[in-house]
């Protein structure tokens, strides 16, 4: 029997995208999953849309927060509820290819890995292709990840029996990168499924769309998460920016 995959999805005012996201999960060729959605006090129709899906499919589980507490807090609540062997992440505006889970679970087993991810394609707010695919090193080491986050949150999956459920402090920014660093520090290297298995939606109001915020939050990873002093963190950020400007672009392909 196939192992259960727990899909972690925080939501907040996602009525424009959540139907597509839910359908991309329901259309998975790998069917042994639970999707745990924690709504962060949405004020639009997000909860109603999810509730309609949940009434028809018991694998879709909705939990509602009374007050807006942030994406990280909602994600950790979802993680607490998860009971699957594997933990996967999918934000409320992103999409999976139908064979995403099937390919990754098989890849984990075949390569004897407790953690993997994949390449992904970029789409705009309306779902149109941006003709861009984000790839990654085929043997991703902790040292490489230390200076550049090559792991797309929507593509990551890890074995909770191996790592246990990993909680990152909800108030911290760049939770995803901190999580992958925590994982890679234990195993040192992993491999991605060497093909695109998801669509990442680039939105005008997303944190990643602001270069200033990106620099600020990434600096926080060195200063707060790793605990380095200010001067050393600045030096590390210089190296990080070098990777962002000159190394990571090599992994962005036109399609």
């Amino acid at each position: 029997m196939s192992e259960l995959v727990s899909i972690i999805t925080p939501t907040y005012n996602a009525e424009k995208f959540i139907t597509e996201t839910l359908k991309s999960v329901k259309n998975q060729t790998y069917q042994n999953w639970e999707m745990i959605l924690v709504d962060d006090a949405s004020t639009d129709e997000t909860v109603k849309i999810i509730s309609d899906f949940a009434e028809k499919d018991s694998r879709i589980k909705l939990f509602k927060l009374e007050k807006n507490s942030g994406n990280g807090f909602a994600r950790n609540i979802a993680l607490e509820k998860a009971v699957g062997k594997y933990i996967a992440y999918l934000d409320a505006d992103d999409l999976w290819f139908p064979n995403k889970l099937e390919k990754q679970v098989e890849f984990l087993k075949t390569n004897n890995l407790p953690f993997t991810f994949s390449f992904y394609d970029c789409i705009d707010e309306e779902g149109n292709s941006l003709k861009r695919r984000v790839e990654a090193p085929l043997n991703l080491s902790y040292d490489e990840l230390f200076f550049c986050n090559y792991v797309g949150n929507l593509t990551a999956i890890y074995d909770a029996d191996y790592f246990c459920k990993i909680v990152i402090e909800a108030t911290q920014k760049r939770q995803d990168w901190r999580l992958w660093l925590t994982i890679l520090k234990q195993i040192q290297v992993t491999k991605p499924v060497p093909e695109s298995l998801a669509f990442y939606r680039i939105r005008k109001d997303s944190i990643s769309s602001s270069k200033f915020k990106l620099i600020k939050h990434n600096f926080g990873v060195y200063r707060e998460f790793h605990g380095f002093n200010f001067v050393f963190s600045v030096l590390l950020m210089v190296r990080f920016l070098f990777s962002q400007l000159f190394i990571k672009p090599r992994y962005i392909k036109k399609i």
Side-chain angles (χ1 to χ4, degrees):
M1 184 177 177
S2 60
E3 296 89 348
L4 180 66
V5 177
S6 295
I7 304 162
I8 306 300
T9 303
T11 65
Y12 177 69
N13 288 351
E15 64 177 5
K16 183 177 178 181
F17 311 109
I18 193 62
T19 295
E20 272 191 286
T21 301
L22 287 161
K23 286 181 177 179
S24 81
V25 173
K26 283 180 64 66
N27 289 336
Q28 289 298 298
T29 55
Y30 188 98
Q31 286 288 295
N32 192 17
W33 52 262
E34 62 172 359
M35 187 177 188
I36 304 171
L37 301 106
V38 175
D39 186 74
D40 196 18
S42 290
T43 57
D44 63 1
E45 295 296 306
T46 300
V47 168
K48 182 181 183 307
I49 294 169
I50 298 170
S51 297
D52 289 344
F53 274 85
E55 285 179 8
K56 300 170 184 175
D57 192 331
S58 61
R59 296 173 299 176
I60 297 172
K61 303 170 184 180
L62 172 64
F63 299 90
K64 295 177 285 185
L65 299 180
E66 294 298 322
K67 65 176 182 177
N68 185 264
S69 302
N71 185 71
F73 185 83
R75 186 177 290 167
N76 283 341
I77 294 295
L79 185 62
E80 288 178 12
K81 308 291 185 182
V83 296
K85 173 179 173 60
Y86 298 114
I87 305 294
Y89 292 87
L90 178 63
D91 285 342
D93 53 357
D94 295 329
L95 307 170
W96 283 350
F97 289 15
N99 61 352
K100 192 264 188 189
L101 288 180
E102 182 180 7
K103 287 259 187 181
Q104 286 195 304
V105 171
E106 180 61 30
F107 191 83
L108 287 169
K109 293 178 179 179
T110 301
N111 292 276
N112 195 28
L113 293 170
F115 168 65
T116 192
F117 59 106
S118 77
F119 305 161
Y120 59 89
D121 294 349
C122 298
I123 58 176
D124 67 15
E125 199 153 348
E126 304 306 319
N128 302 308
S129 173
L130 293 174
K131 309 296 183 183
R132 188 161 77 240
R133 175 165 295 157
V134 180
E135 300 185 354
L138 296 182
N139 288 284
L140 179 65
S141 68
Y142 176 79
D143 290 341
E144 288 174 302
L145 187 70
F146 188 84
F147 290 111
C148 185
N149 183 15
Y150 289 100
V151 181
N153 183 67
L154 71 165
T155 74
I157 183 170
Y158 72 82
D159 187 339
D161 288 348
Y162 184 95
F163 294 107
C164 295
K165 292 190 285 188
I166 305 171
V167 177
I168 299 296
E169 187 178 339
T171 56
Q172 295 176 329
K173 300 298 183 181
R174 292 311 304 267
Q175 251 201 340
D176 55 343
W177 189 21
R178 296 169 194 246
L179 176 56
W180 320 141
L181 284 165
T182 300
I183 288 173
L184 259 292
K185 193 169 186 178
Q186 294 186 50
I187 61 175
Q188 288 302 307
V189 67
T190 192
K191 300 174 183 288
V193 178
E195 61 183 282
S196 179
L197 294 176
F199 290 108
Y200 173 66
R201 196 184 303 269
I202 296 178
R203 297 170 58 184
K204 296 175 183 177
D205 61 348
S206 67
I207 290 179
S208 59
S209 68
S210 169
K211 300 302 181 184
F212 175 76
K213 287 182 179 178
L214 184 66
I215 291 173
K216 176 183 176 182
H217 296 321
N218 288 332
F219 177 78
V221 173
Y222 295 122
R223 186 76 176 96
E224 300 160 12
F225 181 68
H226 291 293
F228 298 126
N229 65 43
F230 181 84
V231 173
F232 191 48
S233 296
V234 170
L235 293 175
L236 291 172
M237 272 303 298
V238 172
R239 177 65 175 82
F240 172 88
L241 291 172
F242 176 85
S243 293
Q244 287 290 310
L245 293 172
F246 299 105
I247 299 177
K248 191 171 185 179
R250 301 174 192 171
Y251 295 98
I252 299 175
K253 312 294 185 182
K254 291 184 179 179
I255 56 174

